[in-house]
Amino acid sequence: PPLYSGTFDCFRKTLVGEGVRGLYRGMAAPIIGVTPMFAVCFFGFGLGKRLQQRKPDDVLTYPQLFAAGMLSGVFTTVIMAPGERIKCLLQIQAATGETKYSGSLDCAKQLYREAGIRGVYKGTVLTLMRDVPASGMYFMTYEWLKNILTPEGKSVSDLSVPRILFAGGLAGIFNWAVAIPPDVLKSRFQTAPAGKYPNGFRDVLRELIREEGVASLYKGFTAVMIRAFPANAACFLGFEIAMKFLNWVAPGL
């Protein structure tokens, strides 16, 4: 039987069994990677736009923005894949009752010792399958919403803070609507014992659908959506503020 009946049951049992610290299990690895990951993510999006522009002021179509976003997903996977692997292993550790890893660094060391760099990067293909289309949807949706929310006669760069927050939060929801199924497959594959899925994600997909049905591909939907709006609203607001500050400090950079 499933350990948790849903998001709120998981929250309650984690809080009772492990306290508040249990809600933040596996947090170190994502925190270490989050700053370079978002830097590379936005760099990849900017590069993707520039590669498609003949002149710097060319306005890209929405499919072109989607393609630029997909490129950013390729860039971020290099940083994301090992962090995701470590995070998932630490998060399921409490449920198994076995304390194999004392923390993120210990987990990384043991993975490298057992299987080399391939052990650390296990699940990279599935991370690509998640991040490439999801990042395309992420940036395209944000740019689309910014254009819709900009008052007539005003510039997109003058968009108010509440509107940036709304556009960023909704972009996060669209991003995860695309990302959840491959994310479920990735997490299952990354936490499986070595050799359980010899054919990779195809074996994971077959097993999951056979045993739990198609709906299992959207496990964790509620938890992800609760996080998606505020986290991504803050992310895009931070990006827009940082860009305005940098343009003010070094306008010709």
Side-chain angles (χ1 to χ4, degrees), residues 157 239-253:
S157 60
F239 171 74
E240 297 289 355
I241 291 172
M243 290 302 295
K244 285 185 178 180
F245 175 74
L246 290 172
N247 287 330
W248 176 69
V249 171
L253 186 64

Side-chain angles (χ1 to χ4, degrees), residues 87-169:
K87 179 196 73 170
C88 289
L89 287 171
L90 290 174
Q91 286 177 337
I92 67 157
Q93 185 170 249
T96 62
E98 177 191 355
T99 306
K100 184 178 179 181
Y101 310 110
S102 61
S104 297
L105 189 58
D106 180 53
C107 182
K109 285 179 180 176
Q110 289 195 46
L111 288 174
Y112 186 78
R113 196 182 306 124
E114 290 167 6
I117 197 67
R118 291 185 65 182
V120 178
Y121 273 88
K122 182 180 178 181
T124 298
V125 172
L126 279 162
T127 307
L128 275 170
M129 288 174 63
R130 179 193 69 178
D131 288 349
V132 169
S135 295
M137 180 64 73
Y138 188 51
F139 284 106
M140 184 188 71
T141 303
Y142 180 64
E143 296 293 332
W144 169 62
L145 287 169
K146 280 205 306 180
N147 290 332
I148 288 177
L149 295 170
T150 301
E152 192 174 346
K154 296 281 187 179
S155 170
V156 174
S157 60
D158 298 326
L159 210 60
S160 65
V161 169
R163 294 187 182 203
I164 290 172
L165 288 171
F166 178 76

Side-chain angles (χ1 to χ4, degrees), residues 211-225:
E211 295 183 0
E212 302 177 49
V214 176
S216 63
L217 293 173
Y218 280 88
K219 275 188 171 183
F221 181 87
T222 305
V224 167
M225 289 305 171

Side-chain angles (χ1 to χ4, degrees), residues 46 49-60:
K49 288 197 295 183
R50 285 196 295 273
L51 288 173
Q52 298 178 88
Q53 289 174 318
R54 294 183 178 180
K55 294 181 290 184
D57 56 348
D58 281 350
V59 178
L60 297 180

